[in-house]
Amino acid sequence: MTAVDVPARPLRIGLMLRAVDDVDGQGIYIRKLCEALFELDSQNQYVAYYWRPDQVGRFADHPNVREVVVPGRNKLTWDQVLVPLAARRDLLDVLFHHKFSIPLLAPCPTVVQQRGTEYWSHPEFYTGWSGRVDRLYSRFMIPLYCRRAVRVLTNSDTLGEELVRYVGVPRNKLRTVYASADRSFRSIADSAALAVVRARYGLPQEPFLLMVVKGHQVVGQASGRALTPRKNVALAIEGYGRMRARALADGLTPPDLVILGLGIAERLTPEVIAAHTDPGALHTPGFVEFRDMPALYSMARALVFPSRYESFGIPIVEAMACGCPVITATTSACPEVAGDAAILVDPDDVEGLASAMYRVSLDDDLAERLRRRGLRRAEGFSWVESARTLLSELEGAARQGQAAHASHPA
């Protein structure tokens, strides 16, 4: 990859980081991307905009990063009023937001990263009054954000094609900035270290099948016991129950299933689980600290990730980097990320998922082939290369703004 051209003077780059502490994939994405970006670029000047004082200090070790709190009562006001005012005050050359919105009246060029098109492709995800409002708002505003931004970034080529199809974004305005696995995601063989993590979360003896999900539905969009349909947990449990019954009938010992995520234990009660399998075979440890995830992947027989929609799917790469075989879906960006290193299953095919779990659980040769392929595949994703791509896009957008200003001075 060619080196990024450095402008004549350091740029003033603004980063909208109100979601930097989120625990989901979007939060992981922007934290790791910023860390790589600041390690890569010590020349340009960055302004990190937060909306809470407790967020300050995350990037304090970087002398070219200034952290600024822009307090706001709601996301809309923060995005569209307060941050643009701060950007004008700070004389920014370019402003970037990783979470689908951008100020429509920004005083400088903007670069926006889109997160997904499920508002068009999966309206069933958005139920109830709150869900319908969310979907209608996004379907109206996302095209405006994409038109207003100088560049539109995605985290997969699949998402880029969806934006062309559903939103009408020109292909030449798009650029993919992949996610990756953190450097800490490596296979762990230290039995003592694994035992500590197993005890911390009350995990069964390995090997076990692992699901990593966002366990709860969006507040206000479903009942308090509902699971988000995007992660396909209900079908996965049904498939696991079929796999377990088949293995026991064949005189084999199936692995247990671990489903981690916020809200999972409250929703997957023994009564719910018993409709499909033995509640004693399914474990719900809740939220797992990021630093402990490599150990879970290392202990798991396979990651089961039959998601109905992903714009990338970070757990796929994290699992592969740890030598954990992957079962994932044939839809959205999952095949693009997994390549030939996973078993792909239609997310509506419960019998196909059961068969995939049976095979990877009990066929050692298959598991080893998937492990080796996954390790190779994971090496193709790099936060450093993604940061290099982002930097190129930010500098290009800033140069475009500088050229326009030079042609039409105030």
Side-chain angles (χ1 to χ4, degrees), residues 118 124-127 211-219 221-235 262-264 267 306-310:
E118 63 271 39
E124 72 275 11
F125 291 172
Y126 300 91
T127 60
M211 289 192 71
V212 179
V213 305
K214 183 179 180 181
H216 55 82
Q217 177 60 284
V218 178
V219 174
Q221 293 187 20
S223 69
R225 293 293 179 184
L227 290 159
T228 175
R230 156 193 328 261
K231 299 300 182 183
N232 216 8
V233 177
L235 183 135
L262 292 168
I264 286 291
R267 288 156 174 80
S307 183
R308 294 188 179 277
Y309 183 85
E310 296 290 334

PDB file of all heavy atoms in Angstrom, residues 118 124-127 211-219 221-235 262-264 267 306-310:
ATOM      1  N   GLU A 118     -30.168  -2.350   7.637  1.00  0.00           N
ATOM      2  CA  GLU A 118     -31.263  -3.200   8.082  1.00  0.00           C
ATOM      3  C   GLU A 118     -32.580  -2.442   8.188  1.00  0.00           C
ATOM      4  O   GLU A 118     -33.649  -3.053   8.231  1.00  0.00           O
ATOM      5  CB  GLU A 118     -30.919  -3.866   9.419  1.00  0.00           C
ATOM      6  CG  GLU A 118     -30.723  -2.916  10.579  1.00  0.00           C
ATOM      7  CD  GLU A 118     -29.295  -2.446  10.719  1.00  0.00           C
ATOM      8  OE1 GLU A 118     -28.629  -2.200   9.698  1.00  0.00           O
ATOM      9  OE2 GLU A 118     -28.844  -2.287  11.868  1.00  0.00           O
ATOM     10  N   GLU A 124     -38.470  -6.009  10.129  1.00  0.00           N
ATOM     11  CA  GLU A 124     -39.006  -6.784  11.258  1.00  0.00           C
ATOM     12  C   GLU A 124     -38.179  -6.625  12.528  1.00  0.00           C
ATOM     13  O   GLU A 124     -38.638  -6.977  13.623  1.00  0.00           O
ATOM     14  CB  GLU A 124     -39.102  -8.264  10.875  1.00  0.00           C
ATOM     15  CG  GLU A 124     -37.776  -9.006  10.757  1.00  0.00           C
ATOM     16  CD  GLU A 124     -37.105  -8.854   9.392  1.00  0.00           C
ATOM     17  OE1 GLU A 124     -37.559  -8.006   8.596  1.00  0.00           O
ATOM     18  OE2 GLU A 124     -36.118  -9.588   9.141  1.00  0.00           O
ATOM     19  N   PHE A 125     -36.959  -6.101  12.408  1.00  0.00           N
ATOM     20  CA  PHE A 125     -36.157  -5.840  13.598  1.00  0.00           C
ATOM     21  C   PHE A 125     -36.725  -4.699  14.431  1.00  0.00           C
ATOM     22  O   PHE A 125     -36.401  -4.569  15.611  1.00  0.00           O
ATOM     23  CB  PHE A 125     -34.719  -5.461  13.210  1.00  0.00           C
ATOM     24  CG  PHE A 125     -33.899  -6.584  12.624  1.00  0.00           C
ATOM     25  CD1 PHE A 125     -32.648  -6.313  12.092  1.00  0.00           C
ATOM     26  CD2 PHE A 125     -34.350  -7.880  12.609  1.00  0.00           C
ATOM     27  CE1 PHE A 125     -31.862  -7.321  11.552  1.00  0.00           C
ATOM     28  CE2 PHE A 125     -33.587  -8.907  12.066  1.00  0.00           C
ATOM     29  CZ  PHE A 125     -32.333  -8.619  11.532  1.00  0.00           C
ATOM     30  N   TYR A 126     -37.548  -3.859  13.826  1.00  0.00           N
ATOM     31  CA  TYR A 126     -37.972  -2.614  14.462  1.00  0.00           C
ATOM     32  C   TYR A 126     -39.473  -2.681  14.727  1.00  0.00           C
ATOM     33  O   TYR A 126     -40.291  -2.331  13.888  1.00  0.00           O
ATOM     34  CB  TYR A 126     -37.603  -1.420  13.576  1.00  0.00           C
ATOM     35  CG  TYR A 126     -36.113  -1.357  13.348  1.00  0.00           C
ATOM     36  CD1 TYR A 126     -35.533  -1.989  12.251  1.00  0.00           C
ATOM     37  CD2 TYR A 126     -35.278  -0.745  14.270  1.00  0.00           C
ATOM     38  CE1 TYR A 126     -34.161  -1.978  12.073  1.00  0.00           C
ATOM     39  CE2 TYR A 126     -33.904  -0.736  14.098  1.00  0.00           C
ATOM     40  CZ  TYR A 126     -33.355  -1.358  12.998  1.00  0.00           C
ATOM     41  OH  TYR A 126     -31.992  -1.347  12.826  1.00  0.00           O
ATOM     42  N   THR A 127     -39.813  -3.145  15.914  1.00  0.00           N
ATOM     43  CA  THR A 127     -41.196  -3.370  16.285  1.00  0.00           C
ATOM     44  C   THR A 127     -41.649  -2.331  17.297  1.00  0.00           C
ATOM     45  O   THR A 127     -40.839  -1.650  17.934  1.00  0.00           O
ATOM     46  CB  THR A 127     -41.369  -4.772  16.870  1.00  0.00           C
ATOM     47  OG1 THR A 127     -40.543  -4.902  18.038  1.00  0.00           O
ATOM     48  CG2 THR A 127     -40.985  -5.838  15.859  1.00  0.00           C
ATOM     49  N   MET A 211     -21.694 -18.707  21.735  1.00  0.00           N
ATOM     50  CA  MET A 211     -22.385 -17.648  21.017  1.00  0.00           C
ATOM     51  C   MET A 211     -22.066 -16.307  21.678  1.00  0.00           C
ATOM     52  O   MET A 211     -22.066 -16.202  22.910  1.00  0.00           O
ATOM     53  CB  MET A 211     -23.903 -17.859  21.021  1.00  0.00           C
ATOM     54  CG  MET A 211     -24.390 -19.005  20.161  1.00  0.00           C
ATOM     55  SD  MET A 211     -26.208 -18.969  19.950  1.00  0.00           S
ATOM     56  CE  MET A 211     -26.414 -17.538  18.869  1.00  0.00           C
ATOM     57  N   VAL A 212     -21.786 -15.307  20.864  1.00  0.00           N
ATOM     58  CA  VAL A 212     -21.517 -13.951  21.344  1.00  0.00           C
ATOM     59  C   VAL A 212     -22.595 -13.068  20.751  1.00  0.00           C
ATOM     60  O   VAL A 212     -22.638 -12.854  19.543  1.00  0.00           O
ATOM     61  CB  VAL A 212     -20.116 -13.468  20.904  1.00  0.00           C
ATOM     62  CG1 VAL A 212     -19.862 -12.049  21.385  1.00  0.00           C
ATOM     63  CG2 VAL A 212     -19.043 -14.419  21.424  1.00  0.00           C
ATOM     64  N   VAL A 213     -23.470 -12.550  21.606  1.00  0.00           N
ATOM     65  CA  VAL A 213     -24.639 -11.841  21.096  1.00  0.00           C
ATOM     66  C   VAL A 213     -24.894 -10.565  21.888  1.00  0.00           C
ATOM     67  O   VAL A 213     -24.402 -10.369  23.000  1.00  0.00           O
ATOM     68  CB  VAL A 213     -25.907 -12.723  21.152  1.00  0.00           C
ATOM     69  CG1 VAL A 213     -25.709 -14.027  20.432  1.00  0.00           C
ATOM     70  CG2 VAL A 213     -26.344 -12.958  22.585  1.00  0.00           C
ATOM     71  N   LYS A 214     -25.696  -9.692  21.258  1.00  0.00           N
ATOM     72  CA  LYS A 214     -26.303  -8.581  21.980  1.00  0.00           C
ATOM     73  C   LYS A 214     -27.636  -9.104  22.452  1.00  0.00           C
ATOM     74  O   LYS A 214     -28.577  -9.224  21.680  1.00  0.00           O
ATOM     75  CB  LYS A 214     -26.468  -7.380  21.051  1.00  0.00           C
ATOM     76  CG  LYS A 214     -27.032  -6.140  21.708  1.00  0.00           C
ATOM     77  CD  LYS A 214     -27.117  -5.012  20.689  1.00  0.00           C
ATOM     78  CE  LYS A 214     -27.677  -3.751  21.331  1.00  0.00           C
ATOM     79  NZ  LYS A 214     -27.783  -2.655  20.331  1.00  0.00           N
ATOM     80  N   GLY A 215     -27.713  -9.443  23.711  1.00  0.00           N
ATOM     81  CA  GLY A 215     -28.821 -10.247  24.181  1.00  0.00           C
ATOM     82  C   GLY A 215     -30.156  -9.574  24.247  1.00  0.00           C
ATOM     83  O   GLY A 215     -31.191 -10.208  24.153  1.00  0.00           O
ATOM     84  N   HIS A 216     -30.212  -8.262  24.408  1.00  0.00           N
ATOM     85  CA  HIS A 216     -31.480  -7.601  24.655  1.00  0.00           C
ATOM     86  C   HIS A 216     -32.029  -6.939  23.402  1.00  0.00           C
ATOM     87  O   HIS A 216     -31.296  -6.549  22.514  1.00  0.00           O
ATOM     88  CB  HIS A 216     -31.298  -6.540  25.741  1.00  0.00           C
ATOM     89  CG  HIS A 216     -30.217  -5.550  25.417  1.00  0.00           C
ATOM     90  ND1 HIS A 216     -30.424  -4.468  24.596  1.00  0.00           N
ATOM     91  CD2 HIS A 216     -28.915  -5.505  25.774  1.00  0.00           C
ATOM     92  CE1 HIS A 216     -29.292  -3.783  24.473  1.00  0.00           C
ATOM     93  NE2 HIS A 216     -28.371  -4.392  25.164  1.00  0.00           N
ATOM     94  N   GLN A 217     -33.319  -6.809  23.344  1.00  0.00           N
ATOM     95  CA  GLN A 217     -33.948  -6.010  22.302  1.00  0.00           C
ATOM     96  C   GLN A 217     -33.794  -4.544  22.683  1.00  0.00           C
ATOM     97  O   GLN A 217     -33.555  -4.220  23.852  1.00  0.00           O
ATOM     98  CB  GLN A 217     -35.426  -6.389  22.189  1.00  0.00           C
ATOM     99  CG  GLN A 217     -36.239  -5.581  21.192  1.00  0.00           C
ATOM    100  CD  GLN A 217     -35.690  -5.706  19.782  1.00  0.00           C
ATOM    101  OE1 GLN A 217     -34.676  -5.101  19.468  1.00  0.00           O
ATOM    102  NE2 GLN A 217     -36.347  -6.481  18.956  1.00  0.00           N
ATOM    103  N   VAL A 218     -33.895  -3.642  21.713  1.00  0.00           N
ATOM    104  CA  VAL A 218     -33.815  -2.225  22.004  1.00  0.00           C
ATOM    105  C   VAL A 218     -34.941  -1.854  22.953  1.00  0.00           C
ATOM    106  O   VAL A 218     -36.092  -2.233  22.755  1.00  0.00           O
ATOM    107  CB  VAL A 218     -33.915  -1.399  20.705  1.00  0.00           C
ATOM    108  CG1 VAL A 218     -33.874   0.085  20.994  1.00  0.00           C
ATOM    109  CG2 VAL A 218     -32.780  -1.778  19.771  1.00  0.00           C
ATOM    110  N   VAL A 219     -34.613  -1.086  23.997  1.00  0.00           N
ATOM    111  CA  VAL A 219     -35.606  -0.717  24.998  1.00  0.00           C
ATOM    112  C   VAL A 219     -36.772   0.003  24.327  1.00  0.00           C
ATOM    113  O   VAL A 219     -36.591   0.901  23.522  1.00  0.00           O
ATOM    114  CB  VAL A 219     -34.964   0.186  26.069  1.00  0.00           C
ATOM    115  CG1 VAL A 219     -36.027   0.690  27.044  1.00  0.00           C
ATOM    116  CG2 VAL A 219     -33.886  -0.570  26.814  1.00  0.00           C
ATOM    117  N   GLN A 221     -38.900  -1.288  22.243  1.00  0.00           N
ATOM    118  CA  GLN A 221     -39.292  -1.868  20.963  1.00  0.00           C
ATOM    119  C   GLN A 221     -39.863  -3.276  21.108  1.00  0.00           C
ATOM    120  O   GLN A 221     -40.303  -3.877  20.137  1.00  0.00           O
ATOM    121  CB  GLN A 221     -38.113  -1.888  19.990  1.00  0.00           C
ATOM    122  CG  GLN A 221     -37.665  -0.509  19.556  1.00  0.00           C
ATOM    123  CD  GLN A 221     -36.621  -0.566  18.468  1.00  0.00           C
ATOM    124  OE1 GLN A 221     -36.476  -1.560  17.786  1.00  0.00           O
ATOM    125  NE2 GLN A 221     -35.886   0.522  18.307  1.00  0.00           N
ATOM    126  N   ALA A 222     -39.792  -3.820  22.296  1.00  0.00           N
ATOM    127  CA  ALA A 222     -40.347  -5.157  22.500  1.00  0.00           C
ATOM    128  C   ALA A 222     -40.527  -5.373  23.990  1.00  0.00           C
ATOM    129  O   ALA A 222     -40.143  -4.538  24.804  1.00  0.00           O
ATOM    130  CB  ALA A 222     -39.417  -6.222  21.914  1.00  0.00           C
ATOM    131  N   SER A 223     -41.111  -6.490  24.346  1.00  0.00           N
ATOM    132  CA  SER A 223     -41.306  -6.792  25.753  1.00  0.00           C
ATOM    133  C   SER A 223     -39.969  -7.037  26.425  1.00  0.00           C
ATOM    134  O   SER A 223     -38.950  -7.287  25.788  1.00  0.00           O
ATOM    135  CB  SER A 223     -42.184  -8.037  25.896  1.00  0.00           C
ATOM    136  OG  SER A 223     -41.480  -9.185  25.454  1.00  0.00           O
ATOM    137  N   GLY A 224     -39.990  -6.959  27.745  1.00  0.00           N
ATOM    138  CA  GLY A 224     -38.749  -7.080  28.503  1.00  0.00           C
ATOM    139  C   GLY A 224     -38.074  -8.421  28.372  1.00  0.00           C
ATOM    140  O   GLY A 224     -36.928  -8.575  28.744  1.00  0.00           O
ATOM    141  N   ARG A 225     -38.799  -9.442  27.852  1.00  0.00           N
ATOM    142  CA  ARG A 225     -38.223 -10.775  27.716  1.00  0.00           C
ATOM    143  C   ARG A 225     -37.771 -11.080  26.296  1.00  0.00           C
ATOM    144  O   ARG A 225     -37.297 -12.166  26.015  1.00  0.00           O
ATOM    145  CB  ARG A 225     -39.257 -11.830  28.147  1.00  0.00           C
ATOM    146  CG  ARG A 225     -39.581 -11.790  29.633  1.00  0.00           C
ATOM    147  CD  ARG A 225     -38.390 -12.197  30.470  1.00  0.00           C
ATOM    148  NE  ARG A 225     -38.683 -12.141  31.891  1.00  0.00           N
ATOM    149  CZ  ARG A 225     -37.783 -12.385  32.846  1.00  0.00           C
ATOM    150  NH1 ARG A 225     -36.551 -12.697  32.510  1.00  0.00           N
ATOM    151  NH2 ARG A 225     -38.121 -12.311  34.105  1.00  0.00           N
ATOM    152  N   ALA A 226     -37.899 -10.110  25.390  1.00  0.00           N
ATOM    153  CA  ALA A 226     -37.610 -10.387  23.982  1.00  0.00           C
ATOM    154  C   ALA A 226     -36.114 -10.377  23.704  1.00  0.00           C
ATOM    155  O   ALA A 226     -35.360  -9.597  24.272  1.00  0.00           O
ATOM    156  CB  ALA A 226     -38.303  -9.362  23.088  1.00  0.00           C
ATOM    157  N   LEU A 227     -35.701 -11.259  22.826  1.00  0.00           N
ATOM    158  CA  LEU A 227     -34.323 -11.281  22.338  1.00  0.00           C
ATOM    159  C   LEU A 227     -34.262 -10.531  21.014  1.00  0.00           C
ATOM    160  O   LEU A 227     -35.187 -10.600  20.206  1.00  0.00           O
ATOM    161  CB  LEU A 227     -33.859 -12.718  22.126  1.00  0.00           C
ATOM    162  CG  LEU A 227     -33.641 -13.546  23.398  1.00  0.00           C
ATOM    163  CD1 LEU A 227     -33.700 -15.018  23.058  1.00  0.00           C
ATOM    164  CD2 LEU A 227     -32.321 -13.192  24.048  1.00  0.00           C
ATOM    165  N   THR A 228     -33.173  -9.830  20.791  1.00  0.00           N
ATOM    166  CA  THR A 228     -33.039  -9.161  19.515  1.00  0.00           C
ATOM    167  C   THR A 228     -33.026 -10.201  18.396  1.00  0.00           C
ATOM    168  O   THR A 228     -32.237 -11.146  18.422  1.00  0.00           O
ATOM    169  CB  THR A 228     -31.768  -8.289  19.471  1.00  0.00           C
ATOM    170  OG1 THR A 228     -31.636  -7.745  18.158  1.00  0.00           O
ATOM    171  CG2 THR A 228     -30.522  -9.061  19.805  1.00  0.00           C
ATOM    172  N   PRO A 229     -33.898 -10.055  17.398  1.00  0.00           N
ATOM    173  CA  PRO A 229     -33.979 -11.083  16.356  1.00  0.00           C
ATOM    174  C   PRO A 229     -32.756 -11.124  15.457  1.00  0.00           C
ATOM    175  O   PRO A 229     -32.504 -12.132  14.800  1.00  0.00           O
ATOM    176  CB  PRO A 229     -35.227 -10.661  15.563  1.00  0.00           C
ATOM    177  CG  PRO A 229     -35.365  -9.197  15.815  1.00  0.00           C
ATOM    178  CD  PRO A 229     -34.889  -8.990  17.231  1.00  0.00           C
ATOM    179  N   ARG A 230     -31.972 -10.057  15.434  1.00  0.00           N
ATOM    180  CA  ARG A 230     -30.816  -9.983  14.545  1.00  0.00           C
ATOM    181  C   ARG A 230     -29.807 -11.096  14.817  1.00  0.00           C
ATOM    182  O   ARG A 230     -29.202 -11.631  13.894  1.00  0.00           O
ATOM    183  CB  ARG A 230     -30.181  -8.602  14.727  1.00  0.00           C
ATOM    184  CG  ARG A 230     -28.771  -8.433  14.397  1.00  0.00           C
ATOM    185  CD  ARG A 230     -28.217  -7.109  14.926  1.00  0.00           C
ATOM    186  NE  ARG A 230     -29.154  -6.026  14.963  1.00  0.00           N
ATOM    187  CZ  ARG A 230     -29.231  -5.076  14.039  1.00  0.00           C
ATOM    188  NH1 ARG A 230     -28.433  -5.102  13.007  1.00  0.00           N
ATOM    189  NH2 ARG A 230     -30.099  -4.098  14.157  1.00  0.00           N
ATOM    190  N   LYS A 231     -29.607 -11.460  16.073  1.00  0.00           N
ATOM    191  CA  LYS A 231     -28.591 -12.460  16.411  1.00  0.00           C
ATOM    192  C   LYS A 231     -29.095 -13.890  16.328  1.00  0.00           C
ATOM    193  O   LYS A 231     -28.320 -14.831  16.501  1.00  0.00           O
ATOM    194  CB  LYS A 231     -28.025 -12.184  17.802  1.00  0.00           C
ATOM    195  CG  LYS A 231     -27.348 -10.815  17.928  1.00  0.00           C
ATOM    196  CD  LYS A 231     -26.184 -10.658  16.969  1.00  0.00           C
ATOM    197  CE  LYS A 231     -25.501  -9.309  17.155  1.00  0.00           C
ATOM    198  NZ  LYS A 231     -24.393  -9.091  16.190  1.00  0.00           N
ATOM    199  N   ASN A 232     -30.410 -14.084  16.102  1.00  0.00           N
ATOM    200  CA  ASN A 232     -30.946 -15.399  15.785  1.00  0.00           C
ATOM    201  C   ASN A 232     -30.769 -16.401  16.924  1.00  0.00           C
ATOM    202  O   ASN A 232     -30.522 -17.596  16.690  1.00  0.00           O
ATOM    203  CB  ASN A 232     -30.279 -15.933  14.508  1.00  0.00           C
ATOM    204  CG  ASN A 232     -31.221 -16.728  13.636  1.00  0.00           C
ATOM    205  OD1 ASN A 232     -32.418 -16.786  13.879  1.00  0.00           O
ATOM    206  ND2 ASN A 232     -30.672 -17.359  12.608  1.00  0.00           N
ATOM    207  N   VAL A 233     -30.900 -15.927  18.157  1.00  0.00           N
ATOM    208  CA  VAL A 233     -30.654 -16.790  19.313  1.00  0.00           C
ATOM    209  C   VAL A 233     -31.683 -17.908  19.412  1.00  0.00           C
ATOM    210  O   VAL A 233     -31.339 -19.063  19.708  1.00  0.00           O
ATOM    211  CB  VAL A 233     -30.633 -15.950  20.607  1.00  0.00           C
ATOM    212  CG1 VAL A 233     -30.457 -16.847  21.823  1.00  0.00           C
ATOM    213  CG2 VAL A 233     -29.522 -14.912  20.558  1.00  0.00           C
ATOM    214  N   ALA A 234     -32.950 -17.576  19.172  1.00  0.00           N
ATOM    215  CA  ALA A 234     -34.002 -18.589  19.327  1.00  0.00           C
ATOM    216  C   ALA A 234     -33.773 -19.772  18.391  1.00  0.00           C
ATOM    217  O   ALA A 234     -33.877 -20.934  18.798  1.00  0.00           O
ATOM    218  CB  ALA A 234     -35.367 -17.956  19.066  1.00  0.00           C
ATOM    219  N   LEU A 235     -33.436 -19.487  17.120  1.00  0.00           N
ATOM    220  CA  LEU A 235     -33.191 -20.576  16.176  1.00  0.00           C
ATOM    221  C   LEU A 235     -31.939 -21.353  16.564  1.00  0.00           C
ATOM    222  O   LEU A 235     -31.884 -22.580  16.416  1.00  0.00           O
ATOM    223  CB  LEU A 235     -33.071 -20.026  14.760  1.00  0.00           C
ATOM    224  CG  LEU A 235     -32.895 -21.089  13.664  1.00  0.00           C
ATOM    225  CD1 LEU A 235     -33.804 -20.802  12.474  1.00  0.00           C
ATOM    226  CD2 LEU A 235     -31.436 -21.160  13.197  1.00  0.00           C
ATOM    227  N   LEU A 262     -25.208  -9.172  27.443  1.00  0.00           N
ATOM    228  CA  LEU A 262     -26.069  -8.497  28.397  1.00  0.00           C
ATOM    229  C   LEU A 262     -27.523  -8.890  28.189  1.00  0.00           C
ATOM    230  O   LEU A 262     -28.019  -8.918  27.069  1.00  0.00           O
ATOM    231  CB  LEU A 262     -25.926  -6.976  28.240  1.00  0.00           C
ATOM    232  CG  LEU A 262     -24.583  -6.367  28.650  1.00  0.00           C
ATOM    233  CD1 LEU A 262     -24.494  -4.925  28.175  1.00  0.00           C
ATOM    234  CD2 LEU A 262     -24.412  -6.446  30.157  1.00  0.00           C
ATOM    235  N   GLY A 263     -28.215  -9.197  29.280  1.00  0.00           N
ATOM    236  CA  GLY A 263     -29.637  -9.495  29.204  1.00  0.00           C
ATOM    237  C   GLY A 263     -29.983 -10.917  28.835  1.00  0.00           C
ATOM    238  O   GLY A 263     -31.164 -11.286  28.878  1.00  0.00           O
ATOM    239  N   ILE A 264     -29.005 -11.725  28.484  1.00  0.00           N
ATOM    240  CA  ILE A 264     -29.300 -13.093  28.048  1.00  0.00           C
ATOM    241  C   ILE A 264     -29.868 -13.937  29.185  1.00  0.00           C
ATOM    242  O   ILE A 264     -30.879 -14.622  29.034  1.00  0.00           O
ATOM    243  CB  ILE A 264     -28.038 -13.748  27.458  1.00  0.00           C
ATOM    244  CG1 ILE A 264     -27.746 -13.181  26.077  1.00  0.00           C
ATOM    245  CG2 ILE A 264     -28.194 -15.256  27.374  1.00  0.00           C
ATOM    246  CD1 ILE A 264     -28.742 -13.590  25.027  1.00  0.00           C
ATOM    247  N   ARG A 267     -33.486 -13.424  30.017  1.00  0.00           N
ATOM    248  CA  ARG A 267     -34.444 -13.813  28.992  1.00  0.00           C
ATOM    249  C   ARG A 267     -34.468 -15.319  28.754  1.00  0.00           C
ATOM    250  O   ARG A 267     -35.519 -15.893  28.486  1.00  0.00           O
ATOM    251  CB  ARG A 267     -34.133 -13.056  27.701  1.00  0.00           C
ATOM    252  CG  ARG A 267     -34.500 -11.574  27.806  1.00  0.00           C
ATOM    253  CD  ARG A 267     -33.725 -10.709  26.839  1.00  0.00           C
ATOM    254  NE  ARG A 267     -34.196  -9.333  26.882  1.00  0.00           N
ATOM    255  CZ  ARG A 267     -33.848  -8.450  27.819  1.00  0.00           C
ATOM    256  NH1 ARG A 267     -33.039  -8.810  28.797  1.00  0.00           N
ATOM    257  NH2 ARG A 267     -34.322  -7.211  27.799  1.00  0.00           N
ATOM    258  N   PRO A 306     -24.937 -17.383  13.778  1.00  0.00           N
ATOM    259  CA  PRO A 306     -25.868 -17.433  12.640  1.00  0.00           C
ATOM    260  C   PRO A 306     -26.684 -16.146  12.494  1.00  0.00           C
ATOM    261  O   PRO A 306     -27.892 -16.178  12.267  1.00  0.00           O
ATOM    262  CB  PRO A 306     -26.759 -18.619  13.007  1.00  0.00           C
ATOM    263  CG  PRO A 306     -26.849 -18.529  14.508  1.00  0.00           C
ATOM    264  CD  PRO A 306     -25.506 -18.017  14.973  1.00  0.00           C
ATOM    265  N   SER A 307     -26.032 -15.023  12.605  1.00  0.00           N
ATOM    266  CA  SER A 307     -26.712 -13.728  12.642  1.00  0.00           C
ATOM    267  C   SER A 307     -27.511 -13.471  11.372  1.00  0.00           C
ATOM    268  O   SER A 307     -27.083 -13.801  10.267  1.00  0.00           O
ATOM    269  CB  SER A 307     -25.680 -12.621  12.841  1.00  0.00           C
ATOM    270  OG  SER A 307     -26.301 -11.363  12.960  1.00  0.00           O
ATOM    271  N   ARG A 308     -28.672 -12.839  11.521  1.00  0.00           N
ATOM    272  CA  ARG A 308     -29.501 -12.505  10.363  1.00  0.00           C
ATOM    273  C   ARG A 308     -28.976 -11.276   9.627  1.00  0.00           C
ATOM    274  O   ARG A 308     -29.256 -11.099   8.445  1.00  0.00           O
ATOM    275  CB  ARG A 308     -30.945 -12.270  10.800  1.00  0.00           C
ATOM    276  CG  ARG A 308     -31.609 -13.523  11.327  1.00  0.00           C
ATOM    277  CD  ARG A 308     -33.097 -13.317  11.574  1.00  0.00           C
ATOM    278  NE  ARG A 308     -33.694 -14.565  12.055  1.00  0.00           N
ATOM    279  CZ  ARG A 308     -34.092 -15.549  11.274  1.00  0.00           C
ATOM    280  NH1 ARG A 308     -33.946 -15.432   9.954  1.00  0.00           N
ATOM    281  NH2 ARG A 308     -34.618 -16.640  11.765  1.00  0.00           N
ATOM    282  N   TYR A 309     -28.249 -10.416  10.343  1.00  0.00           N
ATOM    283  CA  TYR A 309     -27.694  -9.251   9.653  1.00  0.00           C
ATOM    284  C   TYR A 309     -26.446  -8.784  10.386  1.00  0.00           C
ATOM    285  O   TYR A 309     -26.460  -8.566  11.590  1.00  0.00           O
ATOM    286  CB  TYR A 309     -28.686  -8.089   9.573  1.00  0.00           C
ATOM    287  CG  TYR A 309     -28.105  -6.934   8.792  1.00  0.00           C
ATOM    288  CD1 TYR A 309     -28.204  -6.909   7.406  1.00  0.00           C
ATOM    289  CD2 TYR A 309     -27.408  -5.909   9.421  1.00  0.00           C
ATOM    290  CE1 TYR A 309     -27.635  -5.885   6.664  1.00  0.00           C
ATOM    291  CE2 TYR A 309     -26.838  -4.878   8.690  1.00  0.00           C
ATOM    292  CZ  TYR A 309     -26.949  -4.868   7.316  1.00  0.00           C
ATOM    293  OH  TYR A 309     -26.366  -3.861   6.589  1.00  0.00           O
ATOM    294  N   GLU A 310     -25.359  -8.596   9.634  1.00  0.00           N
ATOM    295  CA  GLU A 310     -24.127  -8.018  10.132  1.00  0.00           C
ATOM    296  C   GLU A 310     -23.531  -7.144   9.028  1.00  0.00           C
ATOM    297  O   GLU A 310     -23.449  -7.574   7.875  1.00  0.00           O
ATOM    298  CB  GLU A 310     -23.102  -9.093  10.514  1.00  0.00           C
ATOM    299  CG  GLU A 310     -23.506  -9.988  11.656  1.00  0.00           C
ATOM    300  CD  GLU A 310     -23.529  -9.284  13.000  1.00  0.00           C
ATOM    301  OE1 GLU A 310     -22.800  -8.280  13.162  1.00  0.00           O
ATOM    302  OE2 GLU A 310     -24.282  -9.743  13.882  1.00  0.00           O
TER     303      GLU A 310
END
